[in-house]
């Protein structure tokens, strides 16, 4: 069975790299929007916050499952890479975990405390979301720069931290446009327009930095015929950004017909950006240091884990899809009874 699809030391690492990449992409999109809603708590009115929570309440627990899956796949399939990456990023990972815990506690406690104390937990929800988003952005910047500790790396990581947090706020705002109505929907349009600028800056920064720090990545993108074959990727991404910006100018509409478009556009932008980044670093799981083939576990172990993944992954997709189906439509008034 190991040789059913060719050399198991090749196809099994590729399969697990694909599964891990898929998990990361889904996590960034799904938990990205509910982290973004948490970030928007800082500028929302108190009267709007319950409806914002109602827009993400049925989904946020399931969204975080994809982060657990991605980290679990990294640990079991690429243990050497897991050690190198976590060693270099242990502090932002710690901050992220604290942020996730604070956010989860605040989500539950704000519904159970006295009205006078609710503001404290709203602020805690925002702080937890901010810690999580900034730490993830820092890790992305540090990873793109090859996990090297220089002044330039720290500066770039700080830039990507701010831009990723703003891009989460952007996709969170597009989710609110889709799931809410009236005054909150109008305000979400304004938030999305402002945050889109930071998303553009962040993507531009990563696109410039990746080939700048790695001659190999520069060669992959700018040699012939690659530069021609890959041109549709950044062009499509730019077109989506422009399209979303134009649609936002005409929202909301009286029929609410196109409220889904900004969120769909945001998903498309994230997906194209992810594939561009994946192409840049493939086959390295640790930039310029460790490939997925060198870091992979033994083929026999990978095969056993793949069998388990074939049961776990459909289950996660199934209950996530079921939740989104059941709670489709506009977010209603938040109730805890």
């Amino acid at each position: 069975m190991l040789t059913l699809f060719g050399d198991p030391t090749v196809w099994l690492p590729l399969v697990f790299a694909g599964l891990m990449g898929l998990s990361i992409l889904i996590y960034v999109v799904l938990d990205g929007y509910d982290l973004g809603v948490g970030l928007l708590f800082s500028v929302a009115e108190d009267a709007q916050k319950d409806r914002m929570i109602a827009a993400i309440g049925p989904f946020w627990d399931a969204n975080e499952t994809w982060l657990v899956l991605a980290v679990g796949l990294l640990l079991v399939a690429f243990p050497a890479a897991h050690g190198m990456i976590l060693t270099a990023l242990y502090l932002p990972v710690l901050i992220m975990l604290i942020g996730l815990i604070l956010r989860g506690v605040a989500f539950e406690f704000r519904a159970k405390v006295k009205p006078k104390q609710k503001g404290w937990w709203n602020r805690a929800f925002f702080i937890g979301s901010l810690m999580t988003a900034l730490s993830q952005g820092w890790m992305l910047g540090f990873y793109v720069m090859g996990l090297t500790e220089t002044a330039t790396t720290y500066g770039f990581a700080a830039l990507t931290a701010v831009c990723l947090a703003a891009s989460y706020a952007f996709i969170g705002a597009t989710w609110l446009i889709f799931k809410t109505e009236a005054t909150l929907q109008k305000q979400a349009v304004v938030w999305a327009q402002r945050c889109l600028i930071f998303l553009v800056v962040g993507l531009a920064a990563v696109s410039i930095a990746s080939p700048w720090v790695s001659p190999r990545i520069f060669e992959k993108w700018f040699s012939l015929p690659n530069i021609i074959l890959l041109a549709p990727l950044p062009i499509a991404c730019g077109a989506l950004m422009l399209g979303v910006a134009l649609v936002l100018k005409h929202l909301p509409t009286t029929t609410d017909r196109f409220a889904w478009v900004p969120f769909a556009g945001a998903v498309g932008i994230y997906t194209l950006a992810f594939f561009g980044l994946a192409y840049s670093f493939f086959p390295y799981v640790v930039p310029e240091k460790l490939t997925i083939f060198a870091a992979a576990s033994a083929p026999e172990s990978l095969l056993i884990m793949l069998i388990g993944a074939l049961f776990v992954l459909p289950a996660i997709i199934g209950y996530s899809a079921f939740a989104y189906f059941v709670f489709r439509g506009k977010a209603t008034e938040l109730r805890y009874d």
Side-chain angles (χ1 to χ4, degrees):
M1 187 173 181
L2 280 173
T3 58
L4 183 62
F5 300 103
D7 187 351
T9 62
V10 175
W11 71 266
L12 279 170
L14 287 173
V15 168
F16 274 92
L19 291 175
M20 188 173 69
L22 177 65
S23 301
I24 294 172
L25 174 59
I26 295 176
Y27 169 77
V28 168
V29 169
L30 297 187
D31 206 38
Y33 79 70
D34 64 55
L35 281 170
V37 171
L39 293 173
L40 293 171
F41 258 44
S42 62
V43 292
E45 298 176 4
D46 288 340
Q48 298 173 328
K49 292 176 181 177
D50 277 354
R51 189 59 61 93
M52 293 167 71
I53 287 292
I56 63 173
F59 316 113
W60 74 282
D61 271 337
N63 293 345
E64 291 184 353
T65 306
W66 294 100
L67 177 62
V68 177
L69 179 62
V71 175
L73 288 172
L74 177 63
L75 173 62
V76 300
F78 308 105
H82 180 274
M84 292 179 68
I85 293 173
L86 267 293
T87 298
L89 300 175
Y90 70 93
L91 184 57
V93 168
L94 176 62
I95 294 173
M96 180 184 72
L97 292 176
I98 294 173
L100 289 171
I101 293 170
L102 179 61
R103 190 167 169 271
V105 170
F107 193 98
E108 299 297 333
F109 273 55
R110 68 179 301 279
K112 298 174 174 63
V113 297
K114 297 178 180 179
K116 291 183 178 180
Q117 300 174 328
K118 193 172 183 179
W120 289 98
W121 290 109
N122 283 339
R123 285 188 284 274
F125 186 66
F126 161 71
I127 292 171
S129 300
L130 183 64
M131 291 172 64
T132 303
L134 289 176
S135 60
Q136 289 180 2
W138 180 278
M139 287 187 281
L140 173 63
F142 217 74
Y143 183 86
V144 168
M145 297 296 283
L147 304 178
T148 57
E149 297 186 21
T150 65
T152 302
T153 297
Y154 288 129
F156 182 76
L159 173 64
T160 55
V162 172
C163 290
L164 184 67
S167 73
Y168 280 168
F170 165 72
I171 196 172
T174 64
W175 179 254
L176 292 176
I177 294 170
F178 177 49
K179 294 292 288 184
T180 64
E181 50 195 351
T183 304
L184 180 53
Q185 188 184 49
K186 293 178 182 178
Q187 186 62 59
V189 171
V190 176
W191 292 334
Q193 289 172 324
R194 293 174 179 174
C195 293
L196 179 58
I197 299 171
F198 289 92
L199 174 61
V200 173
V201 171
L203 286 180
V206 172
S207 300
I208 293 171
S210 299
W212 177 58
V213 299
S214 171
R216 181 187 61 83
I217 295 176
F218 184 91
E219 180 70 17
K220 289 184 74 171
W221 279 95
F222 296 104
S223 62
L224 288 173
N226 291 7
I227 190 172
I228 298 174
L229 296 175
L230 296 171
L233 191 64
I235 291 173
C237 194
L240 275 176
M241 291 178 185
L242 180 60
V244 169
L246 292 175
V247 170
L248 287 172
K249 287 184 177 181
H250 296 88
L251 290 177
T253 62
T254 53
T255 61
D256 203 41
R257 184 176 180 182
F258 299 103
W260 60 273
V261 173
F263 182 73
V267 173
I269 293 168
Y270 272 53
T271 302
L272 291 172
F274 175 82
F275 279 110
L277 199 62
Y279 172 78
S280 294
F281 287 99
F282 182 82
Y284 287 89
V285 64
V286 179
E288 313 306 323
K289 296 177 183 178
L290 196 63
T291 67
I292 59 173
F293 308 109
S297 299
E300 294 79 7
S301 300
L302 290 178
L303 181 61
I304 293 173
M305 290 183 287
L306 179 60
I307 294 173
L310 293 177
F311 288 95
V312 172
L313 193 61
I316 297 174
I317 294 173
Y319 71 65
S320 296
F322 181 73
Y324 280 91
F325 175 77
V326 170
F327 295 99
R328 64 193 182 278
K330 297 292 183 179
T332 56
E333 182 183 351
L334 187 64
R335 295 179 181 271
Y336 293 100
D337 48 31

